[in-house]
Amino acid sequence: MATSDLSTPMNAEEQANVELLTSMMAGDVDAQVARRVLMKHGNDIQKAASAMLEGDRAEEYGPRSPPPSKPEKDVIDLTADEDSDIAAALRMSLETNQEQAFGPSTRAPDPNWAMVPSNKPADPNAMSQDDHTLSRAIEESLAASYSQFEKEEFFERPLSQQIRKDNRPPALRPTLPTLHYAGLVLQALYCVPQVRESIAAWRPTPPEDSSSEDVMIVEPPETGPESLVYSILEMFANMEFAVLSELSVDPLLQELGTQMASAVDNFGDLTEQFFGKVTYTVENVLNGDYANQSQKRLFHFQYGNYVDSSSSDRAPDLLEKAIVRVDIHGTEQTNDLVSYLLAQFSSHGDSMNQEVIYEPSDVVSFHLVRHLAAPLTQSGTNLETSAKALKYPKYIYLDQFLIENAALARKKRAEQKEIDEEIARLKTEKNGVMSFKGKDVLTNLSSATHFYEHVIDRETIEQQGYADMMAAKLCKVQRNIEEHLKCIDDKMAKLRDRSASLLDDPQLQKHRYDLRAVLVNEGPLGRKHLYSYTQHAGKWWKTVDWLVEEVSVEVVLNDPAGLHYGAGPYLLLYSRALSEEDEKALPERMQWMETMRDAVYDNNRLLISQLSDGDVVLPELEDYYLRPPSTAPSTYSSTSVEPPTPRGAMTPMDES
């Protein structure tokens, strides 16, 4: 019967579907037949493809006569025409509700013939024995770490083993393991150039009755926020100049009122709380002292809903934030930091709902909050690859989030959304080509081809010729499908490249922020399962408890730690990019208090002299840690303020 009027022109979607159907049939049907079958099935590409594989050509007359039966096999009829046999071969390779002569074999494995895969679907809820074993091992490991965490003893190395070998950052070691997370935060802050330089240049507020012409000795603040910042300054000065490779951070953490972690606490939440307290204190002190006349946004950026000042008199409601919580679900196709920020910080829709940054800060911090349903996967899935590691870049541009670029960034993101929708459509098309009734088309085509090449009877010349012809035809169909899939993949690759290049605009690449530190949790509790990556002196360093080792940036960006436990990196610190010259000149540019710096040098010489009296073999030390005070680096002119020897300066420890 007639299906519809074929005289009307095809639209773009119909044209694409017709081309897909003809390519799937290896060119054995023309576009008119493909369109007729498509229209017969209401333009449903899946139904039309299934019908064509079963031999339906939507002819005006009735169906062809069934082929004569073949008594020896009820699978393939060698006397039927080849279109019917292709459909039969494909149908029997895809259907699972009937017995197949070339289905899963019951014979013993033999590489010469046992090549047909089983069509039995796996239980999606089933877990393999290996999964159960690994699950129990993970649970036992976590339980053991919980019970031992608070009882973990502090390992104190001999003083002779604590001498720096080069200009790597020292490790900050609290005595209690429950405070280890806070030491990593302070070490990370020290390794951010803008933070270290700002702290070094800060001076306590002088008394109100002091004279700028007097040469004074300013006593360290005893209480209040300035006392906390002064203690941080002391710690940073020792991290900069001390010859020791590890420093005790207990007094500073006590003064900061640091919360001790327990077995049920989340290190990311504790870190955000501690980080917020430190940054808030430092920011307020830096903005309030006499040495900084302008408002300095070191940590806190100012943001709010987008308001077009040219068309509205309404002032935006502005908020401040020092650390951005990034929700990680691990189920998105794009599991990277920037994509999550785009999803959370801005909107593709109405500009009134779009949040923008009004005043950027020198440092931007991200708390990675994971929301994973379960650490283990279902049977048959590799656990190491099932949890996707978050990708974060060496540097990011914040321009697309700034108020001055709101209109341009919104236009670019709208284009990206259109591209993403087209990619999603192509993915659906690809899945439709690859899968038929829940089965992999290419795999089953290979199975059908294998049947004609290796299983079917080839006793006579006619049988052999027919089998070769059918195998060749199936191979042609498979090649057409593979070429079509490659075409789809190529289109998606070009679209992704186009999407990625949309933001490669000079207008959106003026505010670059470089990665400075990464804090990582492996999952279990303990000093050695919580560590940091920090960039210092032009290199990347990994700090695990007291051990500080150089690593490559590739290691920093691709550490898979914690995937099994739903853990991993939990804090990222970025800061404004510096030129290579500024990075190298940073140590000489620091404006440390001279007496504070000289006190550390005095301690270094005293420590080395004590160790040299014995039989201790000291490593070769850089002059940077042993130079006399008169040649110590300083560009700060202290004509009116000279603090005394700082409290808590590092002194040699009594090994007895």
Side-chain angles (χ1 to χ4, degrees):
M1 65 178 179
T3 58
S4 182
D5 183 8
L6 299 176
S7 61
T8 58
M10 292 185 289
N11 57 35
E13 181 181 2
E14 290 175 333
Q15 181 68 35
N17 289 339
V18 167
E19 292 176 357
L20 175 59
L21 287 174
T22 56
S23 66
M24 289 181 64
M25 300 310 295
D28 290 332
V29 296
D30 58 26
Q32 195 77 352
V33 172
R35 187 185 183 195
R36 193 165 58 233
V37 175
L38 187 65
M39 295 177 70
K40 175 181 177 181
H41 294 278
N43 290 322
D44 189 318
I45 185 67
Q46 292 288 354
K47 292 181 179 179
S50 301
M52 293 187 73
L53 288 173
E54 294 174 357
D56 186 2
R57 296 297 182 267
E59 295 94 342
E60 298 292 335
Y61 44 84
R64 67 182 70 186
S65 301
S69 62
K70 181 176 174 58
E72 295 180 0
K73 294 185 182 290
D74 61 354
V75 179
I76 301 297
D77 183 1
L78 296 179
T79 63
D81 63 80
E82 59 185 61
D83 284 342
S84 297
D85 285 331
I86 290 177
L90 293 177
R91 184 171 61 253
M92 286 183 294
S93 71
L94 296 169
E95 297 288 351
T96 61
N97 57 357
Q98 59 182 354
E99 242 178 86
Q100 303 176 14
F102 57 98
S105 174
T106 58
R107 294 178 290 180
D110 185 333
N112 294 320
W113 52 261
M115 298 177 63
V116 183
S118 170
N119 286 327
K120 182 180 179 181
D123 181 359
N125 297 319
M127 289 183 64
S128 69
Q129 184 61 37
D130 288 342
D131 285 351
H132 281 295
T133 301
L134 184 52
S135 177
R136 287 195 301 271
I138 290 176
E139 292 175 358
E140 292 173 0
S141 174
L142 288 173
S145 68
Y146 289 160
S147 64
Q148 299 173 5
F149 175 50
E150 297 181 0
K151 301 176 182 178
E152 182 180 359
E153 294 184 1
F154 178 74
F155 172 69
E156 185 172 341
R157 298 193 304 152
L159 194 60
S160 59
Q161 297 179 15
Q162 299 182 33
I163 305 302
R164 283 204 210 191
K165 297 179 181 179
D166 49 28
N167 195 23
R168 63 187 67 196
L172 298 183
R173 300 186 70 201
T175 303
L176 297 177
T178 53
L179 295 175
H180 181 56
Y181 76 94
L184 293 177
V185 172
L186 292 173
Q187 185 204 42
L189 288 174
Y190 165 78
C191 291
V192 178
Q194 290 85 352
V195 177
R196 187 159 77 257
E197 188 169 12
S198 297
I199 294 293
W202 173 79
R203 299 295 180 266
T205 303
E208 295 182 359
D209 57 352
S210 63
S211 171
S212 60
E213 299 178 357
D214 296 333
V215 178
M216 307 178 337
I217 295 180
V218 177
E219 292 294 332
E222 295 296 336
T223 60
E226 285 202 354
S227 175
L228 296 177
V229 176
Y230 193 91
S231 296
I232 295 174
L233 172 60
E234 286 181 326
M235 176 57 66
F236 279 12
N238 278 279
M239 295 178 74
E240 182 79 10
F241 301 112
V243 75
L244 295 174
S245 62
E246 57 185 81
L247 303 173
S248 172
V249 74
D250 287 342
L252 178 56
L253 295 183
Q254 183 177 4
E255 189 173 355
L256 290 169
T258 310
Q259 179 180 338
M260 290 189 291
S262 68
V264 297
D265 285 323
N266 180 281
F267 283 115
D269 292 339
L270 288 174
T271 295
E272 179 178 354
Q273 177 184 344
F274 178 73
F275 184 87
K277 181 175 183 178
V278 173
T279 56
Y280 180 82
T281 300
V282 170
E283 193 94 84
N284 277 281
V285 169
L286 291 182
N287 288 337
D289 70 65
Y290 74 101
N292 296 276
Q293 299 300 325
S294 62
Q295 289 290 312
K296 186 177 185 64
R297 290 196 171 273
L298 184 59
F299 300 106
H300 294 77
F301 62 89
Q302 197 175 59
Y303 73 101
N305 286 339
Y306 171 73
V307 175
D308 188 354
S309 58
S310 63
S311 60
S312 175
D313 296 331
R314 181 175 63 90
D317 295 327
L318 300 181
L319 301 172
E320 294 194 349
K321 183 178 292 187
I323 185 166
V324 180
R325 291 174 67 93
V326 182
D327 293 320
I328 310 296
H329 296 279
T331 56
E332 292 81 355
Q333 292 293 329
T334 52
N335 193 44
D336 65 278
L337 176 64
V338 177
S339 295
Y340 282 114
L341 291 176
L342 287 173
Q344 292 183 200
F345 200 80
S346 59
S347 169
H348 287 301
D350 186 1
S351 61
M352 294 300 294
N353 295 325
Q354 180 183 3
E355 287 187 338
V356 293
I357 296 176
Y358 283 80
E359 291 289 343
S361 54
D362 286 343
V363 182
V364 178
S365 311
F366 302 104
H367 172 199
L368 308 180
V369 184
R370 287 174 172 77
H371 304 276
L372 302 180
L376 293 180
T377 62
Q378 296 169 349
S379 178
T381 304
N382 184 278
L383 289 169
E384 187 66 38
T385 58
S386 62
K388 297 169 61 177
L390 176 73
K391 294 297 181 182
Y392 44 89
K394 289 193 298 184
Y395 56 85
I396 58 176
Y397 291 100
L398 291 188
D399 301 76
Q400 60 180 305
F401 303 105
L402 301 180
I403 177 64
E404 58 263 31
N405 299 319
L408 176 60
R410 187 166 61 253
K411 178 182 177 182
K412 297 284 188 181
R413 287 195 284 268
E415 292 182 44
Q416 284 185 322
K417 183 180 179 181
E418 293 178 358
I419 294 174
D420 292 342
E421 291 173 349
E422 176 62 15
I423 292 175
R425 189 194 68 78
L426 288 172
K427 286 181 179 178
T428 301
E429 179 182 342
K430 179 179 178 180
N431 292 335
V433 174
M434 294 179 62
S435 177
F436 177 74
K437 293 186 178 181
K439 301 293 185 273
D440 187 285
V441 170
L442 293 178
T443 299
N444 286 281
L445 274 172
S446 298
S447 299
T449 304
H450 173 76
F451 168 76
Y452 281 108
E453 291 177 342
H454 302 287
V455 179
I456 196 171
D457 290 339
R458 290 173 168 266
E459 297 175 356
T460 67
I461 295 178
E462 291 79 6
Q463 290 175 329
Q464 183 176 352
Y466 180 76
D468 290 342
M469 181 270 294
M470 293 297 293
K473 187 156 237 182
L474 288 170
C475 288
K476 185 177 180 182
V477 172
Q478 184 171 346
R479 284 196 302 272
N480 274 272
I481 293 176
E482 289 173 343
E483 290 175 1
H484 185 66
L485 292 175
K486 183 179 183 302
C487 181
I488 293 176
D489 287 336
D490 291 343
K491 287 181 180 178
M492 289 195 296
K494 290 180 181 179
L495 287 172
R496 290 191 183 99
D497 291 341
R498 180 184 164 197
S499 178
S501 64
L502 278 175
L503 296 174
D504 292 341
D505 188 316
Q507 285 295 108
L508 299 177
Q509 294 183 340
K510 296 180 179 179
H511 294 77
R512 172 177 153 179
Y513 286 70
D514 289 346
L515 182 66
R516 302 295 184 180
V518 182
L519 270 56
V520 184
N521 179 15
E522 286 186 326
L525 302 178
R527 294 177 184 273
K528 296 189 181 301
H529 299 295
L530 208 65
Y531 56 88
S532 68
Y533 292 110
T534 53
Q535 188 182 37
H536 182 67
K539 300 177 181 179
W540 277 98
W541 309 92
K542 180 179 181 179
T543 302
V544 184
D545 195 11
W546 54 266
L547 182 62
V548 182
E549 294 183 308
E550 183 180 354
V551 295
S552 66
V553 67
E554 287 74 19
V555 171
V556 178
L557 299 177
N558 298 285
D559 189 344
L563 290 184
H564 291 176
Y565 301 94
Y570 62 92
L571 183 70
L572 306 176
L573 295 186
Y574 287 83
S575 76
R576 289 187 186 275
L578 300 176
S579 67
E580 186 176 349
E581 293 75 16
D582 286 342
E583 291 273 8
K584 290 181 179 179
L586 185 63
E588 300 296 328
R589 197 170 63 244
M590 294 293 180
Q591 301 178 16
W592 301 99
M593 290 185 182
E594 292 182 2
T595 53
M596 185 178 290
R597 179 203 61 214
D598 291 348
V600 179
Y601 278 119
D602 289 339
N603 289 333
N604 288 345
R605 286 190 295 275
L606 180 60
L607 173 64
I608 295 303
S609 65
Q610 288 182 348
L611 292 176
S612 300
D613 289 342
D615 297 328
V616 178
V617 178
L618 296 176
E620 183 178 351
L621 295 170
E622 293 186 6
D623 291 340
Y624 186 83
Y625 303 107
L626 296 178
R627 65 179 68 181
S630 59
T631 60
S634 176
T635 59
Y636 174 68
S637 177
S638 55
T639 58
S640 60
V641 178
E642 274 302 322
T645 301
R647 302 165 299 157
M650 297 303 298
T651 56
M653 298 174 61
D654 186 356
E655 291 189 279
S656 61

CSV table of all heavy atoms in Angstrom, one decimal, residues 102-130:
chain,number,residue,atom,x,y,z
A,102,PHE,N,24.4,-19.9,15.2
A,102,PHE,CA,25.8,-19.4,15.4
A,102,PHE,C,25.8,-18.4,16.7
A,102,PHE,O,26.6,-17.5,16.7
A,102,PHE,CB,26.3,-18.6,14.2
A,102,PHE,CG,25.4,-17.5,13.7
A,102,PHE,CD1,25.7,-16.2,14.1
A,102,PHE,CD2,24.2,-17.8,13.0
A,102,PHE,CE1,24.8,-15.1,13.7
A,102,PHE,CE2,23.4,-16.7,12.6
A,102,PHE,CZ,23.7,-15.4,12.9
A,103,GLY,N,25.1,-18.7,17.6
A,103,GLY,CA,25.1,-18.0,18.9
A,103,GLY,C,26.2,-18.5,19.8
A,103,GLY,O,27.1,-19.1,19.3
A,104,PRO,N,26.1,-18.2,21.1
A,104,PRO,CA,27.1,-18.6,22.1
A,104,PRO,C,27.3,-20.1,22.0
A,104,PRO,O,26.4,-20.9,22.1
A,104,PRO,CB,26.5,-18.1,23.4
A,104,PRO,CG,25.6,-17.1,23.0
A,104,PRO,CD,25.0,-17.5,21.7
A,105,SER,N,28.5,-20.5,21.9
A,105,SER,CA,28.9,-21.9,21.8
A,105,SER,C,29.0,-22.6,23.1
A,105,SER,O,29.3,-22.0,24.1
A,105,SER,CB,30.2,-22.1,21.0
A,105,SER,OG,30.6,-23.5,21.0
A,106,THR,N,28.6,-23.9,23.2
A,106,THR,CA,28.8,-24.7,24.4
A,106,THR,C,30.0,-25.6,24.4
A,106,THR,O,30.3,-26.3,25.3
A,106,THR,CB,27.5,-25.6,24.6
A,106,THR,OG1,27.4,-26.4,23.5
A,106,THR,CG2,26.3,-24.7,24.8
A,107,ARG,N,30.8,-25.5,23.3
A,107,ARG,CA,31.9,-26.3,23.2
A,107,ARG,C,33.1,-25.7,24.0
A,107,ARG,O,33.0,-24.5,24.3
A,107,ARG,CB,32.4,-26.4,21.7
A,107,ARG,CG,31.3,-27.2,20.9
A,107,ARG,CD,31.8,-27.3,19.4
A,107,ARG,NE,31.7,-26.0,18.8
A,107,ARG,CZ,32.0,-25.7,17.5
A,107,ARG,NH1,32.4,-26.7,16.8
A,107,ARG,NH2,31.8,-24.5,17.0
A,108,ALA,N,34.1,-26.5,24.2
A,108,ALA,CA,35.3,-26.0,24.9
A,108,ALA,C,36.0,-24.9,24.0
A,108,ALA,O,35.9,-24.9,22.8
A,108,ALA,CB,36.3,-27.2,25.1
A,109,PRO,N,36.6,-23.9,24.7
A,109,PRO,CA,37.2,-22.8,24.0
A,109,PRO,C,38.2,-23.3,22.9
A,109,PRO,O,39.0,-24.2,23.2
A,109,PRO,CB,37.9,-22.0,25.1
A,109,PRO,CG,37.1,-22.3,26.3
A,109,PRO,CD,36.7,-23.8,26.1
A,110,ASP,N,38.2,-22.7,21.8
A,110,ASP,CA,39.1,-23.0,20.7
A,110,ASP,C,39.3,-21.7,19.9
A,110,ASP,O,38.4,-21.2,19.4
A,110,ASP,CB,38.6,-24.1,19.8
A,110,ASP,CG,39.6,-24.5,18.7
A,110,ASP,OD1,40.5,-23.7,18.4
A,110,ASP,OD2,39.6,-25.6,18.3
A,111,PRO,N,40.5,-21.2,19.9
A,111,PRO,CA,40.7,-19.9,19.2
A,111,PRO,C,40.4,-19.9,17.7
A,111,PRO,O,40.2,-18.9,17.1
A,111,PRO,CB,42.2,-19.6,19.5
A,111,PRO,CG,42.8,-20.9,19.8
A,111,PRO,CD,41.8,-21.7,20.5
A,112,ASN,N,40.3,-21.1,17.1
A,112,ASN,CA,39.9,-21.2,15.7
A,112,ASN,C,38.5,-20.9,15.4
A,112,ASN,O,38.1,-20.6,14.3
A,112,ASN,CB,40.3,-22.5,15.2
A,112,ASN,CG,41.8,-22.7,15.2
A,112,ASN,OD1,42.6,-21.8,14.9
A,112,ASN,ND2,42.3,-23.9,15.6
A,113,TRP,N,37.6,-21.1,16.4
A,113,TRP,CA,36.2,-20.9,16.2
A,113,TRP,C,35.4,-20.2,17.3
A,113,TRP,O,34.3,-19.7,17.0
A,113,TRP,CB,35.5,-22.2,15.9
A,113,TRP,CG,35.7,-23.3,16.9
A,113,TRP,CD1,36.6,-24.3,16.9
A,113,TRP,CD2,35.0,-23.4,18.2
A,113,TRP,NE1,36.5,-25.1,18.0
A,113,TRP,CE2,35.6,-24.6,18.8
A,113,TRP,CE3,34.0,-22.7,18.8
A,113,TRP,CZ2,35.2,-25.0,20.1
A,113,TRP,CZ3,33.6,-23.1,20.1
A,113,TRP,CH2,34.2,-24.3,20.7
A,114,ALA,N,35.9,-20.1,18.5
A,114,ALA,CA,35.1,-19.6,19.6
A,114,ALA,C,35.3,-18.1,19.6
A,114,ALA,O,35.9,-17.5,20.4
A,114,ALA,CB,35.6,-20.2,20.9
A,115,MET,N,34.6,-17.4,18.6
A,115,MET,CA,34.8,-16.0,18.5
A,115,MET,C,33.5,-15.2,18.6
A,115,MET,O,33.4,-14.0,18.4
A,115,MET,CB,35.4,-15.6,17.1
A,115,MET,CG,36.8,-16.2,16.9
A,115,MET,SD,37.5,-15.8,15.3
A,115,MET,CE,37.5,-14.1,15.4
A,116,VAL,N,32.3,-15.9,18.8
A,116,VAL,CA,31.0,-15.3,18.8
A,116,VAL,C,30.7,-14.9,20.3
A,116,VAL,O,30.7,-15.8,21.1
A,116,VAL,CB,29.9,-16.2,18.3
A,116,VAL,CG1,28.6,-15.5,18.3
A,116,VAL,CG2,30.3,-16.7,16.9
A,117,PRO,N,30.5,-13.6,20.6
A,117,PRO,CA,30.3,-13.2,22.0
A,117,PRO,C,28.9,-13.6,22.4
A,117,PRO,O,28.0,-13.8,21.7
A,117,PRO,CB,30.4,-11.7,21.9
A,117,PRO,CG,30.0,-11.3,20.5
A,117,PRO,CD,30.5,-12.5,19.6
A,118,SER,N,28.8,-13.7,23.7
A,118,SER,CA,27.5,-14.1,24.3
A,118,SER,C,26.6,-12.9,24.3
A,118,SER,O,27.0,-11.7,24.5
A,118,SER,CB,27.7,-14.5,25.8
A,118,SER,OG,26.5,-14.6,26.5
A,119,ASN,N,25.3,-13.1,24.0
A,119,ASN,CA,24.3,-12.1,24.0
A,119,ASN,C,23.6,-12.0,25.3
A,119,ASN,O,22.6,-11.2,25.4
A,119,ASN,CB,23.3,-12.3,22.9
A,119,ASN,CG,23.9,-12.0,21.5
A,119,ASN,OD1,24.7,-11.1,21.4
A,119,ASN,ND2,23.5,-12.8,20.5
A,120,LYS,N,24.0,-12.7,26.3
A,120,LYS,CA,23.3,-12.7,27.6
A,120,LYS,C,23.6,-11.4,28.3
A,120,LYS,O,24.7,-11.1,28.6
A,120,LYS,CB,23.7,-13.9,28.5
A,120,LYS,CG,22.9,-13.9,29.8
A,120,LYS,CD,23.4,-15.1,30.6
A,120,LYS,CE,22.6,-15.1,32.0
A,120,LYS,NZ,23.0,-16.2,32.8
A,121,PRO,N,22.5,-10.6,28.6
A,121,PRO,CA,22.8,-9.3,29.3
A,121,PRO,C,23.3,-9.5,30.7
A,121,PRO,O,22.8,-10.4,31.4
A,121,PRO,CB,21.5,-8.6,29.3
A,121,PRO,CG,20.5,-9.7,29.2
A,121,PRO,CD,21.1,-10.8,28.4
A,122,ALA,N,24.2,-8.7,31.2
A,122,ALA,CA,24.7,-8.7,32.5
A,122,ALA,C,23.7,-8.1,33.5
A,122,ALA,O,23.0,-7.1,33.1
A,122,ALA,CB,26.1,-8.1,32.6
A,123,ASP,N,23.7,-8.6,34.7
A,123,ASP,CA,22.8,-8.0,35.7
A,123,ASP,C,23.5,-6.7,36.1
A,123,ASP,O,24.6,-6.7,36.7
A,123,ASP,CB,22.7,-9.0,36.9
A,123,ASP,CG,21.8,-8.4,38.0
A,123,ASP,OD1,21.3,-7.3,37.8
A,123,ASP,OD2,21.7,-9.1,39.0
A,124,PRO,N,22.8,-5.6,35.9
A,124,PRO,CA,23.4,-4.3,36.2
A,124,PRO,C,23.6,-4.0,37.7
A,124,PRO,O,24.4,-3.2,38.1
A,124,PRO,CB,22.4,-3.2,35.6
A,124,PRO,CG,21.1,-4.0,35.6
A,124,PRO,CD,21.4,-5.4,35.3
A,125,ASN,N,22.9,-4.8,38.5
A,125,ASN,CA,23.0,-4.6,39.9
A,125,ASN,C,24.0,-5.6,40.6
A,125,ASN,O,24.2,-5.6,41.8
A,125,ASN,CB,21.6,-4.8,40.6
A,125,ASN,CG,20.6,-3.7,40.1
A,125,ASN,OD1,21.0,-2.5,40.0
A,125,ASN,ND2,19.4,-4.1,39.8
A,126,ALA,N,24.5,-6.5,39.7
A,126,ALA,CA,25.4,-7.5,40.3
A,126,ALA,C,26.8,-6.9,40.5
A,126,ALA,O,27.2,-6.1,39.7
A,126,ALA,CB,25.4,-8.7,39.4
A,127,MET,N,27.5,-7.4,41.5
A,127,MET,CA,28.8,-7.1,41.7
A,127,MET,C,29.7,-8.3,41.7
A,127,MET,O,29.3,-9.4,42.2
A,127,MET,CB,29.0,-6.4,43.1
A,127,MET,CG,28.4,-5.0,43.2
A,127,MET,SD,28.7,-4.2,44.8
A,127,MET,CE,30.5,-4.1,44.8
A,128,SER,N,30.8,-8.2,41.0
A,128,SER,CA,31.7,-9.4,40.9
A,128,SER,C,32.4,-9.6,42.3
A,128,SER,O,32.3,-8.8,43.2
A,128,SER,CB,32.8,-9.1,39.9
A,128,SER,OG,33.7,-8.1,40.4
A,129,GLN,N,33.0,-10.8,42.4
A,129,GLN,CA,33.6,-11.2,43.6
A,129,GLN,C,34.8,-10.2,43.9
A,129,GLN,O,35.1,-9.9,45.0
A,129,GLN,CB,34.2,-12.6,43.5
A,129,GLN,CG,34.8,-13.1,44.8
A,129,GLN,CD,33.9,-13.1,46.0
A,129,GLN,OE1,32.7,-13.4,45.8
A,129,GLN,NE2,34.4,-12.8,47.2
A,130,ASP,N,35.5,-9.8,42.8
A,130,ASP,CA,36.6,-8.8,42.9
A,130,ASP,C,36.1,-7.5,43.5
A,130,ASP,O,36.7,-6.9,44.3
A,130,ASP,CB,37.3,-8.6,41.6
A,130,ASP,CG,38.1,-9.8,41.1
A,130,ASP,OD1,38.4,-10.7,42.0
A,130,ASP,OD2,38.4,-9.9,39.9
